[in-house]
């Protein structure tokens, strides 16, 4: 099939090895720029190097249609047993990203990433003069990791607010969760928490320490579950947590492979996880406004291309349909969308592209929402991540692709980089995510008919029985506020009280911390508070 367009990678894919500071201390850190020019090469060019990682074919030179058609279509799941990055294959962009980040044998997280860990030490905020001194203190802790080797990739070292502000950040998260639990479920239900991407286990430790010290009666009812994809982190989490908190259970599994049903009310926590969720790439044919999916091709020499084919992937189709239902705008000018004549005129201009700007869509995030709806039907989601990022590659909602080489953070200008050496992370539009989340959890899957089979009968004082309530639903006055979801059993309140889970809201990082954190613990001598002032590009969904 002839693709509508093709894009060769524009970054030298081996001249840089990789590793660098992933999490900026502020929303606009200074970084070294790395935007090498693509080298135009032809088959008979005597200057073409034998190592084909070191050059790129011009995007103006069209690849053979037959060559792309002969490539084997694979996905990230089928590549899990591969010990080397594959060649002679093609895959959706999300599978290329997942394989690059999570492949157990060469992926970035299993092999390269190191989470900044202050061990048992904490920052003495009250002794620091100002934010400059705070950053110097953090830099000293980084220096303890040593310099990168000059012969290869540096250490993929990055930090999180959990580590920088421990234990106070984790205690703020604990306070948010326990307040909701005490209000709605105590003492009738256990306090059940699920966390994905728990890293070093620091957040879990700080949450459980806070519950043990401040809410011992709640701690006795607490069950903390970690779902972790990295085998090395699973081992570390068990070592750190099992002896101190025996109520922790660590499961080595991807959340996308989760099949266990949790019928009880629970809290689902994801702190700085979804930025590494794989996205798909789509572009629109400007003549027909038909969407096309991006496919990464890897030839026998290991060189990359991106081709665009009509959308056939079910998950991409589901996302596009959900966007249509939510009336989220397309990444094409509205006037252009509505006027075929204007589009034809634009396409007649010299060098006018026949496809719209690249757009990265959060298909794996949609997979998570479906998993929550199916296997955690009575959950409450607490999620935090980047709402914007500097140094992204070109495109709408495009990621940062970066590495570290010789102690220097190096952003790249393309997604097509050697698998496993680069961190790839995306910003999140939290307002659109909230809309997606609320719609997904409020609507039963299409195949579902009648009572949800994943909700077994549970005899607790909070168990609802829809039948008697439904019989009187038309007789009694009922109240269905717009800020609440419909109850799971479909019945409104016969007493007139609002029922159903409260809908989620979006908070800035500082708004969330002002609500739940003990800010006196992180205030500096001059009155600055880095837990409020830093991470301006982070938001919460709760």
């Amino acid at each position: 099939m002839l693709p509508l367009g093709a894009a060769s990678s524009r970054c030298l894919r081996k001249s840089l090895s990789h590793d660098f500071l992933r999490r900026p201390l502020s929303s606009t850190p200074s970084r070294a720029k790395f935007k090498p020019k693509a080298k135009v090469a032809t088959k008979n060019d005597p200057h073409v190097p034998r190592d084909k990682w070191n050059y790129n074919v011009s995007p103006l030179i069209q690849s053979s249609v037959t060559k792309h058609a002969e490539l084997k279509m694979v996905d990230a799941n089928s590549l899990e047993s591969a010990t080397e990055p594959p060649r002679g294959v093609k895959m959706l962009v999300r599978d290329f990203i997942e394989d690059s980040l999570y492949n157990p044998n060469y992926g970035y997280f299993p092999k390269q990433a190191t989470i900044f860990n202050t061990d048992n030490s904490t920052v003495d905020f009250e002794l620091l003069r100002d934010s400059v001194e705070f950053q110097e203190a953090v830099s000293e802790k980084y220096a303890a990791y040593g310099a990168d080797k000059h012969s290869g990739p540096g250490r993929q070292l990055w930090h999180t607010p959990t580590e920088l502000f421990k234990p106070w950040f984790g205690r703020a998260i604990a306070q948010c969760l326990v307040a909701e639990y005490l209000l709605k479920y105590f003492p009738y239900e256990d306090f059940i928490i699920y966390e994905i991407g728990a890293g070093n286990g620091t957040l879990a430790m700080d949450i459980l320490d806070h519950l043990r010290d401040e809410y011992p009666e709640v701690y006795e009812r607490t069950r903390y579950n970690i779902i972790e994809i990295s085998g090395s982190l699973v081992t570390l989490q068990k070592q750190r947590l099992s002896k101190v908190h025996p109520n922790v259970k660590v499961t080595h599994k991807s959340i996308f492979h989760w099949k266990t049903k949790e019928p009880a009310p629970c809290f689902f926590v994801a702190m700085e996880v979804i930025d590494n969720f794989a996205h798909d790439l789509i572009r629109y044919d400007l003549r027909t406004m038909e969407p096309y999916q991006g496919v990464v091709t890897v030839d026998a020499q290991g060189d990359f291309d991106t081709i665009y084919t009509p959308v056939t992937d079910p998950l991409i189709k589901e996302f596009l349909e959900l966007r249509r239902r939510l009336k989220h705008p397309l990444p094409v000018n509205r006037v252009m969308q509505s006027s075929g004549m204007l589009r034809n005129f634009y396409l007649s201009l010299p060098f006018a592209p026949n496809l719209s700007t690249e757009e990265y869509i959060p298909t794996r995030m949609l997979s998570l929402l479906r998993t929550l709806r199916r296997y955690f039907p009575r959950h409450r989601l607490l999620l935090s991540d980047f709402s914007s990022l500097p140094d992204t590659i070109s495109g709408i909602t495009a990621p940062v692709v970066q590495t570290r080489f010789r102690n220097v953070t190096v952003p790249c200008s393309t997604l097509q980089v050697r698998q496993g050496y680069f961190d790839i992370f995306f910003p999140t539009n939290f307002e659109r995510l909230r809309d997606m989340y609320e719609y997904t959890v409020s609507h039963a899957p299409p195949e579902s008919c009648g009572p949800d089979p994943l909700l077994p009968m549970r005899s607790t004082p909070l168990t609802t029985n829809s039948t008697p309530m439904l019989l009187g639903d038309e007789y009694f006055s009922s109240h269905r506020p717009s800020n609440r979801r419909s109850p799971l059993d479909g019945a409104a309140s016969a007493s007139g009280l609002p029922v159903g889970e409260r809908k989620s809201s979006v908070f800035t990082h500082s708004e969330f911390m002002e609500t739940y954190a003990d800010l006196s613990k992180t205030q500096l001598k001059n009155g600055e508070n880095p837990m409020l002032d830093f991470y301006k590009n982070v938001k919460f969904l709760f």
Side-chain angles (χ1 to χ4, degrees), residues 506-535:
V506 176
F507 304 91
T508 64
H509 187 271
S510 59
E511 287 173 342
F512 186 89
M513 290 299 144
E514 286 172 343
T515 303
Y516 296 107
D518 184 354
L519 296 176
S520 65
K521 303 296 186 181
T522 55
Q523 184 169 311
L524 309 180
K525 285 183 177 181
N526 68 344
E528 290 181 294
N529 199 312
M531 197 153 73
L532 289 180
D533 300 334
F534 288 39
Y535 292 99

Side-chain angles (χ1 to χ4, degrees), residues 414-432:
T414 178
L415 181 68
Q416 297 173 351
V417 290
R418 187 175 183 182
Q419 300 94 315
Y421 283 79
F422 288 77
D423 192 5
I424 304 170
F425 57 106
F426 293 82
T428 296
N429 185 319
F430 271 76
E431 287 69 29
R432 292 192 182 185

Side-chain angles (χ1 to χ4, degrees), residues 248-278:
V248 174
K249 178 182 178 182
V250 182
T251 302
H252 185 195
K253 185 183 289 289
S254 167
I255 184 60
F256 302 119
H257 298 162
W258 190 262
K259 301 298 180 185
T260 304
K261 305 166 188 176
E262 176 56 81
C266 61
F267 295 87
F268 199 92
V269 178
M271 295 289 108
E272 293 197 46
V273 175
I274 66 169
D275 60 315
N276 285 119
F277 277 10

Side-chain angles (χ1 to χ4, degrees), residues 94 255-256 258-259 277 313-319 322 362-377 379 381 433 436-437 439-441 443-447 452 454:
R94 75 166 182 267
I255 184 60
F256 302 119
W258 190 262
K259 301 298 180 185
F277 277 10
D313 178 66
L315 189 57
I316 296 178
K317 286 184 176 180
E318 183 177 348
F319 176 86
L322 178 58
T363 40
R364 269 308 182 202
M365 185 68 226
L366 180 57
S367 295
L368 174 66
L369 301 185
R370 293 167 56 188
T371 298
L372 293 176
R373 170 63 183 87
R374 184 168 182 80
Y375 296 106
F376 304 88
H379 76 277
L381 177 63
L433 172 58
M436 289 172 52
Y437 172 64
Y439 185 92
T440 301
V441 299
H443 291 76
E447 66 274 12
D452 193 332
L454 299 181

Side-chain angles (χ1 to χ4, degrees), residues 71-79 86 88-92 95:
L71 296 177
K72 178 183 178 182
M73 191 73 176
V74 297
D75 59 30
N77 290 335
S78 64
L79 294 174
V89 299
K90 58 186 176 183
M91 66 193 90
L92 290 171
D95 290 303

Side-chain angles (χ1 to χ4, degrees), residues 140-190:
E140 291 177 1
K141 294 181 182 296
Y142 271 102
Y145 282 86
D148 293 338
K149 296 179 180 179
H150 287 259
S151 59
R155 183 181 291 104
Q156 306 284 338
L157 185 63
W158 44 271
H159 61 79
T160 68
T162 300
E163 297 289 348
L164 285 182
F165 302 117
K166 75 177 188 182
W168 315 116
F169 181 87
R171 292 188 174 225
I173 301 300
Q175 192 59 40
C176 171
L177 299 177
V178 75
E180 192 79 2
Y181 169 72
L182 290 173
L183 178 66
K184 296 172 59 177
Y185 301 119
F186 183 80
Y188 304 110
E189 300 278 0
D190 285 343

